[in-house]
Every structure is written in C-alpha cells, then in structure tokens.
Amino acid sequence: VAENAAGAVVGALSVAAPAGTAVAWEVLNGSLPDGRFTVDTTGGTPVLRLQPGITLDHEAQASVTVTLRATFEAGGASVSYTRDLPIAVQDRNEPVAITGGTVSAALVEDRDVPAPPALPVLTATGGFGFSDPDAGTRHGVTSGFVSAVSSD
C-alpha cells in the first residue's frame, strides 16, 4: 500500500467457506484489534483497507504485519481461519518543507560607493533550512537578483 494514502485499499480477501455463508472478519495486531484497518464488505467481495483518515508512513515503518481472522459456521460448528499478512508500505516522494526564511535587508546609500553615477548598495542577508522525510534526497537552492534603477 502506498504511504500517506488515507483509507487506501490493501487488497481483496477470500476464505474457503461454504457458498452463501456469512463470514465475520477481524484485523488484529497480535491478539488485539488493529484499529488502523477495516474489512469493507459493502461491495460484496471483502476488501482490507485503511480506516478513513488513517495513513502509513514508509520512513517510520517499511512494512506492517496484521493478523486476519475469518470466522463462519459450517456443519453446525464455528470454523475460524487465522493468517498473518505482511503489508509492504511503498515509499512516495514527499514534499520538502522550507523552514526559517528570515531575511533582512539594509539600503546603504553614499557609503563606500564610488562617485556618481554609481548606485546605492542594497545588502540582503538571511537563512533558511530544509526538512525532507525522504532520506537521501538532494536539494538545490536557486537565488535571483532583481534590480531597479531610479533617479530623482
């Protein structure tokens, strides 16, 4: 399943139950219910999916294993099948967050400037950083200069 995909479908489920038999599905984490997942039977074929609003993160956990339990009645007895299901969490390129961004500028006129027709000097300083959850991604910085000439 792709990381950061809320409510994503993991896959269709099936169990060898007699035709027309109702099957109760449970998704477990060990012996406890795993609230991140649900089995959706509204389309007829049971589908394992993430709960609405729930996502998985590849950088935090590249794979997740859940235990599926299917229970049904057959021949007057309750039958239960339990299987562990490993789920690979696919890595997606996530957006880079730019942090900081404080910039200051000062207009320095008539100081250390050659005689006219030289223009005043505008000096800008500042800093910012990057935050990227995708390890090993390289980033570059492009800066530009815009000038304007004005005379009074």
Side-chain angles (χ1 to χ4, degrees):
V1 67
E3 73 173 336
N4 305 324
V9 171
V10 176
L13 303 174
S14 65
V15 65
T21 303
V23 178
W25 293 93
E26 295 176 272
V27 184
L28 307 170
N29 183 351
S31 61
L32 301 174
D34 192 328
R36 299 173 295 178
F37 297 91
T38 186
V39 176
D40 183 359
T41 58
T42 57
T45 300
V47 174
L48 178 64
R49 69 179 329 130
L50 288 165
Q51 292 278 10
I54 300 296
T55 64
L56 298 177
D57 181 11
H58 175 84
E59 285 74 29
Q61 199 170 13
S63 68
V64 175
T65 299
V66 296
T67 301
L68 293 172
R69 180 180 297 148
T71 305
F72 56 90
E73 296 292 323
S78 179
V79 177
S80 191
Y81 290 113
T82 303
R83 294 286 184 263
D84 288 339
L85 176 66
I87 302 167
V89 181
Q90 299 168 344
D91 194 15
R92 296 289 186 245
N93 192 17
E94 294 160 297
V96 175
I98 298 176
T99 58
T102 56
V103 176
S104 61
L107 181 61
V108 181
E109 289 189 66
D110 302 325
R111 185 174 52 160
D112 299 328
V113 177
L119 298 175
V121 177
L122 175 63
T123 304
T125 61
F128 59 92
F130 294 104
S131 173
D132 189 348
D134 296 313
T137 303
R138 297 186 62 161
H139 302 285
V141 176
T142 302
S143 64
F145 177 76
V146 177
S147 67
V149 176
S150 173
S151 64
D152 294 303

